[in-house]
Coordinates of all heavy atoms in Angstrom, one line a residue:
D1 N 129.3 124.3 184.3 CA 130.6 123.7 184.6 C 131.6 124.1 183.5 O 132.8 124.2 183.7 CB 130.6 122.2 184.7 CG 129.7 121.7 185.9 OD1 129.9 122.4 187.0 OD2 128.9 120.7 185.8
L2 N 131.1 124.1 182.3 CA 132.0 124.3 181.1 C 132.0 125.9 180.7 O 132.9 126.3 180.0 CB 131.5 123.5 179.8 CG 131.5 122.0 180.1 CD1 131.2 121.3 178.8 CD2 132.8 121.5 180.7
A3 N 131.0 126.6 181.2 CA 131.0 128.1 180.9 C 132.0 128.8 181.8 O 132.5 129.8 181.4 CB 129.5 128.6 181.1
D4 N 132.2 128.3 183.0 CA 133.1 128.9 183.9 C 134.5 128.4 183.5 O 134.8 127.2 183.5 CB 132.8 128.6 185.3 CG 133.7 129.2 186.4 OD1 133.5 130.3 186.8 OD2 134.8 128.5 186.6
R5 N 135.5 129.4 183.3 CA 136.8 128.9 182.8 C 137.5 128.0 183.8 O 138.1 127.0 183.4 CB 137.6 130.2 182.6 CG 139.0 129.9 182.1 CD 139.0 129.3 180.7 NE 140.3 129.1 180.1 CZ 140.6 128.3 179.1 NH1 139.6 127.6 178.6 NH2 141.9 128.3 178.6
E6 N 137.4 128.3 185.1 CA 138.1 127.6 186.1 C 137.5 126.1 186.2 O 138.3 125.1 186.2 CB 138.1 128.2 187.5 CG 138.9 127.5 188.5 CD 138.9 128.2 189.8 OE1 138.5 129.2 190.0 OE2 139.5 127.6 190.8
R7 N 136.2 126.0 186.2 CA 135.6 124.7 186.3 C 135.8 123.9 185.0 O 135.9 122.7 185.0 CB 134.1 124.8 186.6 CG 133.8 125.4 188.0 CD 132.5 126.0 188.2 NE 131.4 125.1 188.1 CZ 130.1 125.5 188.2 NH1 129.8 126.8 188.4 NH2 129.1 124.7 188.1
Y8 N 135.9 124.6 183.9 CA 136.1 124.0 182.6 C 137.5 123.3 182.7 O 137.7 122.1 182.3 CB 136.1 125.1 181.5 CG 136.5 124.6 180.1 CD1 135.5 124.3 179.2 CD2 137.8 124.7 179.6 CE1 135.8 124.0 177.9 CE2 138.2 124.3 178.4 CZ 137.2 123.9 177.5 OH 137.5 123.6 176.2
L9 N 138.5 124.1 183.1 CA 139.9 123.5 183.2 C 139.9 122.4 184.2 O 140.7 121.4 184.0 CB 140.8 124.7 183.7 CG 141.0 125.8 182.5 CD1 141.9 126.8 183.1 CD2 141.6 125.2 181.3
N10 N 139.2 122.5 185.3 CA 139.1 121.4 186.3 C 138.5 120.1 185.7 O 139.0 119.1 185.9 CB 138.3 121.8 187.5 CG 139.1 122.8 188.3 OD1 140.3 123.0 188.3 ND2 138.3 123.5 189.3
A11 N 137.4 120.3 184.9 CA 136.8 119.1 184.3 C 137.8 118.5 183.3 O 137.9 117.3 183.2 CB 135.5 119.5 183.6
R12 N 138.4 119.3 182.5 CA 139.4 118.8 181.6 C 140.5 118.1 182.2 O 140.9 116.9 181.9 CB 140.0 120.0 180.7 CG 141.1 119.6 179.8 CD 141.6 120.9 179.1 NE 143.0 120.7 178.5 CZ 143.1 120.0 177.3 NH1 142.1 119.6 176.6 NH2 144.4 119.8 176.8
S13 N 141.1 118.6 183.3 CA 142.2 118.0 184.0 C 141.7 116.6 184.6 O 142.4 115.6 184.6 CB 142.6 118.9 185.2 OG 143.6 118.3 186.0
T14 N 140.5 116.5 185.1 CA 140.0 115.3 185.7 C 139.9 114.3 184.7 O 140.3 113.1 184.8 CB 138.6 115.6 186.4 OG1 138.7 116.5 187.4 CG2 138.0 114.2 186.9
L15 N 139.3 114.7 183.5 CA 139.1 113.7 182.4 C 140.5 113.2 181.9 O 140.7 112.0 181.6 CB 138.3 114.4 181.2 CG 136.8 114.4 181.5 CD1 136.2 115.4 180.5 CD2 136.1 113.1 181.6
L16 N 141.4 114.1 181.6 CA 142.7 113.6 181.2 C 143.4 112.8 182.1 O 144.1 111.9 181.7 CB 143.5 114.9 180.8 CG 143.0 115.8 179.6 CD1 143.9 116.9 179.3 CD2 142.7 114.9 178.4
T17 N 143.3 113.1 183.4 CA 143.9 112.2 184.4 C 143.3 110.9 184.4 O 144.0 109.8 184.5 CB 143.8 112.9 185.8 OG1 144.3 114.1 185.8 CG2 144.4 112.0 186.9
L18 N 142.0 110.7 184.3 CA 141.3 109.4 184.2 C 141.8 108.7 183.1 O 142.1 107.4 183.1 CB 139.8 109.6 184.2 CG 139.1 110.1 185.5 CD1 137.7 110.5 185.2 CD2 139.3 109.0 186.6
L19 N 141.9 109.3 181.9 CA 142.4 108.6 180.7 C 143.9 108.1 180.9 O 144.2 107.0 180.4 CB 142.3 109.5 179.5 CG 140.9 109.9 179.1 CD1 140.9 110.9 177.9 CD2 140.1 108.7 178.6
K20 N 144.6 108.9 181.5 CA 146.0 108.5 181.8 C 146.1 107.3 182.7 O 147.0 106.4 182.6 CB 146.9 109.7 182.4 CG 148.3 109.4 182.6 CD 148.9 110.7 183.3 CE 150.4 110.4 183.6 NZ 151.1 111.7 184.1
L21 N 145.1 107.2 183.6 CA 145.0 106.1 184.6 C 144.3 104.9 183.9 O 144.2 103.9 184.6 CB 144.3 106.5 185.8 CG 144.9 107.6 186.7 CD1 144.0 108.1 187.8 CD2 146.3 107.0 187.3
R22 N 144.0 105.1 182.7 CA 143.2 104.0 182.0 C 142.0 103.7 182.7 O 141.5 102.5 182.7 CB 144.1 102.8 181.8 CG 145.4 103.0 181.0 CD 146.2 101.7 180.8 NE 145.5 100.8 179.9 CZ 145.4 100.9 178.6 NH1 145.9 102.0 178.0 NH2 144.7 100.0 178.0
V23 N 141.3 104.7 183.1 CA 139.9 104.5 183.6 C 139.0 105.2 182.7 O 139.2 106.3 182.2 CB 139.8 105.2 185.0 CG1 138.4 105.3 185.5 CG2 140.7 104.5 186.0
L24 N 137.9 104.6 182.3 CA 137.0 105.0 181.3 C 135.9 105.9 181.9 O 135.1 105.4 182.7 CB 136.3 103.9 180.6 CG 135.7 104.2 179.1 CD1 135.8 103.1 178.2 CD2 134.3 104.7 179.3
P25 N 135.9 107.2 181.5 CA 134.8 108.1 182.1 C 133.5 107.9 181.4 O 133.5 107.7 180.1 CB 135.4 109.5 181.8 CG 136.8 109.3 181.3 CD 136.9 108.0 180.8
V26 N 132.5 107.8 182.2 CA 131.1 107.8 181.6 C 130.4 109.1 182.0 O 130.2 109.3 183.2 CB 130.3 106.6 182.1 CG1 128.9 106.6 181.6 CG2 131.0 105.3 181.8
I27 N 130.1 109.9 181.0 CA 129.6 111.2 181.3 C 128.1 111.4 180.9 O 127.7 110.8 179.9 CB 130.4 112.3 180.4 CG1 131.8 112.1 180.8 CG2 129.8 113.7 180.6 CD1 132.8 113.1 180.0
N28 N 127.4 112.1 181.7 CA 126.0 112.5 181.4 C 125.7 113.8 181.9 O 126.4 114.4 182.7 CB 125.0 111.5 182.1 CG 123.6 111.5 181.6 OD1 123.3 112.2 180.6 ND2 122.7 110.7 182.2
E29 N 124.6 114.5 181.4 CA 124.3 115.8 181.9 C 123.7 115.6 183.3 O 122.9 114.6 183.6 CB 123.2 116.4 181.0 CG 122.8 117.7 181.4 CD 122.0 118.5 180.4 OE1 121.6 117.9 179.4 OE2 121.8 119.7 180.7
N30 N 123.9 116.5 184.1 CA 123.4 116.4 185.5 C 122.0 116.9 185.6 O 121.8 118.0 186.1 CB 124.4 117.3 186.5 CG 124.1 117.0 187.9 OD1 123.2 116.1 188.3 ND2 124.9 117.5 188.8
D31 N 121.1 116.1 185.1 CA 119.7 116.4 185.1 C 119.1 116.5 186.4 O 118.0 117.1 186.5 CB 119.0 115.3 184.2 CG 119.2 115.4 182.7 OD1 119.1 116.6 182.2 OD2 119.6 114.4 182.1
T32 N 119.7 116.1 187.5 CA 119.1 116.2 188.8 C 119.1 117.7 189.3 O 118.3 118.0 190.2 CB 119.8 115.3 189.9 OG1 121.2 115.7 190.0 CG2 119.7 113.8 189.4
V33 N 120.0 118.5 188.8 CA 120.1 119.9 189.2 C 119.9 120.9 188.0 O 119.8 122.1 188.3 CB 121.4 120.2 189.9 CG1 121.6 119.3 191.2 CG2 122.6 120.0 189.0
V34 N 119.9 120.5 186.8 CA 119.9 121.3 185.6 C 118.6 122.0 185.5 O 117.5 121.5 185.9 CB 120.2 120.6 184.4 CG1 119.0 119.7 183.9 CG2 120.9 121.4 183.3
N35 N 118.6 123.2 184.9 CA 117.4 123.9 184.6 C 117.5 124.4 183.1 O 118.6 124.3 182.6 CB 117.0 125.0 185.6 CG 118.1 126.1 185.7 OD1 118.7 126.5 184.7 ND2 118.4 126.5 186.9
D36 N 116.4 125.1 182.7 CA 116.5 125.5 181.3 C 117.5 126.5 180.9 O 118.0 126.6 179.8 CB 115.1 126.1 180.9 CG 113.9 125.2 180.8 OD1 114.3 124.0 180.6 OD2 112.8 125.5 180.9
E37 N 118.0 127.2 181.9 CA 119.0 128.2 181.7 C 120.4 127.6 181.5 O 121.3 128.2 181.0 CB 119.1 129.3 182.8 CG 117.8 130.2 182.8 CD 117.9 131.2 183.9 OE1 118.9 131.2 184.6 OE2 117.0 132.0 184.0
I38 N 120.7 126.4 182.2 CA 122.1 125.9 182.1 C 122.1 124.5 181.4 O 123.2 123.9 181.4 CB 122.6 125.8 183.5 CG1 121.8 124.9 184.4 CG2 122.8 127.1 184.1 CD1 122.3 124.6 185.8
K39 N 121.0 124.0 180.8 CA 121.0 122.7 180.3 C 121.7 122.7 178.9 O 121.7 123.7 178.2 CB 119.6 122.1 180.1 CG 118.7 122.8 179.1 CD 117.2 122.5 179.3 CE 117.0 121.0 179.4 NZ 115.5 120.8 179.6
F40 N 122.3 121.6 178.5 CA 122.9 121.5 177.2 C 121.8 121.4 176.1 O 122.0 121.8 175.0 CB 123.9 120.3 177.1 CG 125.0 120.4 178.0 CD1 125.1 119.7 179.2 CD2 126.1 121.2 177.7 CE1 126.3 119.7 180.1 CE2 127.2 121.3 178.5 CZ 127.2 120.6 179.7
G41 N 120.7 120.8 176.5 CA 119.6 120.7 175.6 C 119.5 119.2 175.1 O 118.4 118.7 174.8
D42 N 120.6 118.6 174.8 CA 120.6 117.2 174.3 C 122.0 116.7 174.5 O 123.0 117.4 174.5 CB 120.2 117.1 172.9 CG 121.1 117.9 172.0 OD1 122.1 117.4 171.6 OD2 120.8 119.0 171.6
N43 N 122.1 115.3 174.6 CA 123.5 114.8 174.8 C 124.4 114.7 173.6 O 125.5 114.4 173.7 CB 123.4 113.5 175.5 CG 123.3 113.5 177.0 OD1 123.3 114.6 177.6 ND2 123.3 112.5 177.7
D44 N 123.8 115.0 172.4 CA 124.6 115.2 171.2 C 125.5 116.4 171.3 O 126.7 116.4 171.1 CB 123.7 115.3 169.9 CG 122.9 114.0 169.7 OD1 123.4 112.9 169.8 OD2 121.7 114.2 169.3
T45 N 124.9 117.5 171.9 CA 125.6 118.7 172.1 C 126.7 118.4 173.2 O 127.9 118.9 173.0 CB 124.7 119.8 172.5 OG1 123.7 120.1 171.5 CG2 125.5 121.1 172.8
L46 N 126.3 117.8 174.2 CA 127.2 117.4 175.3 C 128.4 116.6 174.7 O 129.5 116.9 175.1 CB 126.5 116.7 176.4 CG 127.4 116.2 177.6 CD1 128.2 117.3 178.2 CD2 126.5 115.4 178.6
G47 N 128.1 115.6 173.9 CA 129.2 114.8 173.3 C 130.2 115.7 172.5 O 131.4 115.4 172.6

């Protein structure tokens, strides 16, 4: 999601919109579909 430029910008736009709406985003790695090639490795990196 973050490696693809368009999806990166979409994720950024969504998060900034939620903050503007005073909605608190809760983020986690999508472990239900992730594999070794696309995983962050740990949520410290994701943070």
Side-chain angles (χ1 to χ4, degrees):
D1 296 319
L2 303 187
D4 179 87
R5 182 63 174 165
E6 183 176 356
R7 289 157 71 181
Y8 176 95
L9 293 174
N10 287 341
R12 172 181 164 84
S13 178
T14 298
L15 285 168
L16 295 183
T17 300
L18 288 170
L19 293 176
K20 184 178 180 180
L21 294 171
R22 300 185 64 77
V23 173
L24 198 149
V26 180
I27 301 175
N28 195 2
E29 182 167 10
N30 194 356
D31 286 311
T32 59
V33 299
V34 79
N35 57 41
D36 287 339
E37 293 183 356
I38 61 172
K39 71 196 310 183
F40 293 106
D42 59 83
N43 271 5
D44 296 320
T45 299
L46 177 56

